């Protein structure tokens, strides 16, 4: 049993080391064409009394799992938010709102996913 714990610890350490190596990779000299930024509409801002945060775990076809939302239901929820004039904001915008009362778009909403797996 002790060997399993040691093996798992070594495996986790190896994964951390490999993941860290990709962050220190030398930049390439290959030039990439610059993408044009999408035209963004002007959105009114305000400092609301609160901001709704919608938390999802996974969007997919999994059956009998209350933590997984079917794709058609997720799309319906996103359409509802758009039709009702909600504006998604970033976690940085939420942080600035919470810590310093910075204005955000009117009718803000935050969408979060609680894990970082590839299927998310």
């Amino acid at each position: 049993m002790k060997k399993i714990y040691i093996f798992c610890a070594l495996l986790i350490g190896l994964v951390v080391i490999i993941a860290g190596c990709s962050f220190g990779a030398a930049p390439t000299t290959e030039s990439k064409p610059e993408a044009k930024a999408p035209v963004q509409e002007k959105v009114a801002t305000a400092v609301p009394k609160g901001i709704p945060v919608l938390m999802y775990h996974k969007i997919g076809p999994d059956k009998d799992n209350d933590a997984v939302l079917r794709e058609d239901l997720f799309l319906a929820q996103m359409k509802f938010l758009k039709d009702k004039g909600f504006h998604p904001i970033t976690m940085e915008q939420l942080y600035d709102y919470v810590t310093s009362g910075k204005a955000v778009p009117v009718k803000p909403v935050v969408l979060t996913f609680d894990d970082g797996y590839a299927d998310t």
Side-chain angles (χ1 to χ4, degrees):
M1 190 66 167
K2 188 175 180 180
K3 289 181 182 181
I4 291 174
Y5 291 120
I6 293 171
F7 175 75
C8 289
L10 290 173
L11 184 60
I12 290 170
L14 182 62
V15 170
V16 169
I17 290 170
I18 291 172
C21 290
S22 66
F23 291 115
T28 62
T29 57
E30 183 180 310
S31 66
K32 296 180 183 176
E34 290 187 33
K36 291 184 179 180
V39 177
Q40 296 206 358
E41 63 181 90
K42 298 259 184 194
V43 177
T45 61
V47 180
K49 289 186 179 182
I51 296 177
V53 176
L54 305 180
M55 198 268 318
Y56 297 95
H57 175 70
K58 179 180 175 185
I59 310 301
D62 301 20
K63 299 206 184 293
D64 300 323
N65 186 340
D66 291 337
V68 180
L69 184 64
R70 288 191 339 247
E71 184 178 355
D72 61 317
L73 296 176
F74 178 73
L75 291 173
Q77 290 178 14
M78 296 304 104
K79 182 178 181 336
F80 173 85
L81 292 173
K82 181 180 179 187
D83 291 348
K84 297 296 181 182
F86 282 89
H87 295 94
I89 63 171
T90 65
M91 293 301 287
E92 183 178 60
Q93 288 172 300
L94 178 64
Y95 177 83
D96 290 343
Y97 162 79
V98 170
T99 59
S100 61
K102 188 172 179 182
V104 293
V106 173
K107 294 186 85 170
V109 64
V110 176
L111 304 176
T112 67
F113 291 85
D114 71 343
D115 60 33
Y117 295 114
D119 64 351
T120 303

